[in-house]
């Protein structure tokens, strides 16, 4: 059973690559070890799939080569994918900052991709685990639970290690190692962070605050969310891409406001610090964060005012770990971009072998960027196979 290309992985990148190649008349087989395609798409965006971001540029991605994504992103843009969504009459909306979501269900995106696969005469086999891959003449042989398949081209779209509950495996990295390709060390990304030494803020679990989280010169202003172990929320997920162990994260709990000036302006007040802060923060957070100095504002001396202000505008937080792949949106690291063509995603050393999507060392910010990388890298590959 010979194909022009076999794609391993029926996620966003794999399906879009197959569609693109199938439209060009290529005979394409997609194999997926899960019982259904697009499982990660289905659970994304709270079930509504943040399927792209209108503001996508290469600067929204982390990679050892920050320029690598430029070619693929230019070849297939967010507006191109939005036009496909419009063609299928799927209602969508912009939530904020260019983030585009389905108005109804992520299932519509999966159904759209499957319909396009059908139109492109793509064959999809689910519940089909891959046992091994190898060379066969000038092509490849893929042994699976449903039989052996041969192809001139082999595309690895097996994803990363994040969300093991939906079937994530290390297959893509194993194939890369088998063929001698370099892999940038992987780690959980877009992931909650856990306080060093355990949480002292357990009673605040579930409390959300508009804040700015920073690591070095990198900053994101969105909500932070207290958890039983540490912090989550969009600002923390974003900064987790840049966080490294033993690197402190600075959090401004009053972004755009000078806490010291606010305290000095209200210094004559007999109002307690907790009550004062409750006007700027959730009450429960105000009580916990002010506990060390909770007395009338009028009784705070200049040193205490400075300490309070620093704890609000420059809260230095020590984290010692992430909450792992089970909570991570994506996997950072992966197949080194030095091994691949930026135009086609083909291996520079193994002719006919391609890697696309999350398995590659290209990791996007939160907000639809990783899906756009899936569409763009899949399209670039699909045009080349």
């Amino acid at each position: 059973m010979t194909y022009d290309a076999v794609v391993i992985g029926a996620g966003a990148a794999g399906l879009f690559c197959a569609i693109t190649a199938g439209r060009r008349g290529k005979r394409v087989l997609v194999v997926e070890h899960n019982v259904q395609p697009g499982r990660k798409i289905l659970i994304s965006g709270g079930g509504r799939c943040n399927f792209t971001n209108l503001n996508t540029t290469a600067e929204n991605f982390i990679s050892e080569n920050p320029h690598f994504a430029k070619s693929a992103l230019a070849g297939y843009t967010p507006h191109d994918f939005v036009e496909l969504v419009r063609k299928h009459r799927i209602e969508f909306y912009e939530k904020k900052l260019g983030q585009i979501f389905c108005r109804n269900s992520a299932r519509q995106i999966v159904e759209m991709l499957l319909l396009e696969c059908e139109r492109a005469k793509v064959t999809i086999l689910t519940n089909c685990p891959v046992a091994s891959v190898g060379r066969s003449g000038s092509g490849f042989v893929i042994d699976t639970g449903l039989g052996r398949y041969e192809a001139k081209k082999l595309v690895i779209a097996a994803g990363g290690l994040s969300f093991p509950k939906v079937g994530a495996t290390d297959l893509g990295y194993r194939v890369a190692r088998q063929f001698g390709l370099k892999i940038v060390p992987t780690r959980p990304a877009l992931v909650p962070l856990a306080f060093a030494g355990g949480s002292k803020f357990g009673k605040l679990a579930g409390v959300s605050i508009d804040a700015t989280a920073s690591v070095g010169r990198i900053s994101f202003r969105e909500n932070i969310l207290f958890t039983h172990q540490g912090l989550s929320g969009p600002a923390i997920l974003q900064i987790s891409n840049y966080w490294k162990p033993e690197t402190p994260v600075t959090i401004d709990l009053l972004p755009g406001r000078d806490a010291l000036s606010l305290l000095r302006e209200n210094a004559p007040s007999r109002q307690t610090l907790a009550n004062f802060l409750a006007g700027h923060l959730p009450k429960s957070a105000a009580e916990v964060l002010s506990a060390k100095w909770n007395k009338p504002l009028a009784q705070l001396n200049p040193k205490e005012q400075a300490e309070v202000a620093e704890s609000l505008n420059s809260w230095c937080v020590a984290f010692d770990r992430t909450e792992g792949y089970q909570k991570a949106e994506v996997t950072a690291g992966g197949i080194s971009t030095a091994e691949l063509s930026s135009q086609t995603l083909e291996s520079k050393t193994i002719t006919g072998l391609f890697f696309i999507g999350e398995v590659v060392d290209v990791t996007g910010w939160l907000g639809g960027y990783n899906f756009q990388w899936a569409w763009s890298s899949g399209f670039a590959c699909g045009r080349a196979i």
Side-chain angles (χ1 to χ4, degrees):
M1 300 179 71
T2 303
Y3 292 84
D4 292 312
V6 168
V7 179
I8 298 177
L15 291 175
F16 209 68
C17 171
I19 290 165
T20 305
R23 288 172 177 169
R24 298 174 51 245
K26 301 296 181 179
R27 189 164 181 247
V28 183
L29 170 67
V30 181
V31 296
E32 169 59 49
H33 74 281
N34 280 318
V35 295
Q36 64 182 147
R39 287 192 67 188
K40 200 168 180 183
I41 299 174
L42 292 172
I43 66 171
S44 66
R48 292 192 175 183
C49 188
N50 180 191
F51 57 78
T52 192
N53 192 300
L54 297 178
N55 302 322
T56 301
T57 70
E59 295 177 356
N60 303 119
F61 297 85
I62 299 167
S63 172
E64 283 197 345
N65 178 357
H67 302 291
F68 182 82
K70 287 181 178 178
S71 178
L73 293 173
Y76 194 84
T77 71
H79 296 283
D80 292 325
F81 194 78
V82 167
E83 281 306 307
L84 180 61
V85 172
R86 288 185 194 276
K87 176 183 172 183
H88 284 260
R89 298 181 180 179
I90 298 172
E91 294 185 10
F92 61 88
Y93 67 100
E94 181 178 350
K95 186 174 182 180
K96 61 178 180 178
L97 305 173
Q99 300 171 13
I100 308 298
F101 286 78
C102 293
R103 189 167 294 282
N104 296 309
S105 170
R107 186 169 299 279
Q108 293 175 292
I109 298 297
V110 175
E111 290 172 350
M112 176 190 79
L113 295 172
L114 295 180
L115 179 57
E116 289 291 334
C117 280
E118 182 181 340
R119 290 173 175 172
K121 296 181 171 55
V122 171
T123 301
I124 301 174
L125 296 180
T126 56
N127 202 20
C128 182
V130 173
S132 66
V133 301
R135 298 306 299 265
S136 174
S138 60
F140 299 86
V141 59
I142 302 93
D143 283 309
T144 78
L146 297 180
R148 170 173 286 192
Y149 304 94
E150 294 187 3
K152 298 174 184 177
K153 308 290 176 66
L154 175 62
V155 181
I156 307 300
L161 299 171
S162 58
F163 275 114
K165 65 182 179 183
V166 296
T169 75
D170 66 345
L171 176 62
Y173 311 121
R174 283 189 275 123
V175 172
R177 291 190 187 97
Q178 175 184 336
F179 287 102
L181 276 64
K182 176 186 173 185
I183 297 174
V184 176
T186 57
R187 58 187 173 84
L190 298 180
V191 62
L193 300 175
F195 291 128
S199 177
K200 302 175 183 177
F201 303 96
K203 64 175 63 177
L204 293 184
V207 173
S208 180
I209 300 175
D210 174 33
T212 298
S214 305
V215 168
R217 296 182 178 181
I218 306 296
S219 296
F220 293 94
R221 179 176 177 178
E222 290 194 64
N223 283 357
I224 64 170
L225 175 69
F226 285 87
T227 70
H228 290 289
Q229 297 187 58
L231 294 177
S232 184
I236 297 299
L237 298 185
Q238 296 279 39
I239 213 67
S240 74
N241 280 3
Y242 300 89
W243 175 81
K244 296 178 180 179
E246 300 182 6
T247 302
V249 176
T250 302
I251 297 177
D252 185 351
L253 296 169
L254 297 175
R257 290 165 287 178
D258 186 317
L260 186 57
S261 295
L262 285 173
L263 291 170
R264 286 173 176 172
E265 289 168 7
N266 292 273
S269 174
R270 294 183 178 277
Q271 188 179 29
T272 66
L273 178 60
N275 286 338
F276 172 71
L277 291 181
H280 302 274
L281 300 169
K283 184 178 178 181
S284 56
E287 291 174 351
V288 170
L289 295 171
S290 66
K292 181 179 177 181
W293 312 275
N294 194 24
K295 53 187 173 181
L297 296 183
Q299 294 181 20
L300 290 173
N301 61 43
K303 180 182 177 182
E304 290 171 327
Q305 288 178 341
E307 289 177 351
V308 173
E310 184 175 10
S311 72
L312 294 170
N313 283 142
S314 301
W315 180 28
C316 189
V317 188
F319 299 104
D320 63 3
R321 66 191 188 284
T322 72
E323 290 195 24
Y325 287 113
Q326 68 273 15
K327 294 288 185 70
E329 300 262 344
V330 292
T331 303
I335 315 306
S336 172
T337 54
E339 299 281 4
L340 307 175
S341 161
S342 61
Q343 280 77 37
T344 65
L345 284 299
E346 184 177 13
S347 166
K348 294 178 179 178
T349 56
I350 308 297
T351 301
L353 180 62
F354 299 75
F355 293 84
I356 59 176
E358 188 180 349
V359 75
V360 179
D361 175 36
V362 175
T363 305
W365 292 359
L366 186 71
Y369 300 101
N370 287 293
F371 270 122
Q372 186 55 46
W373 170 244
W375 315 134
S376 296
S377 62
F379 182 80
C381 178
R383 288 194 303 177
I385 60 177

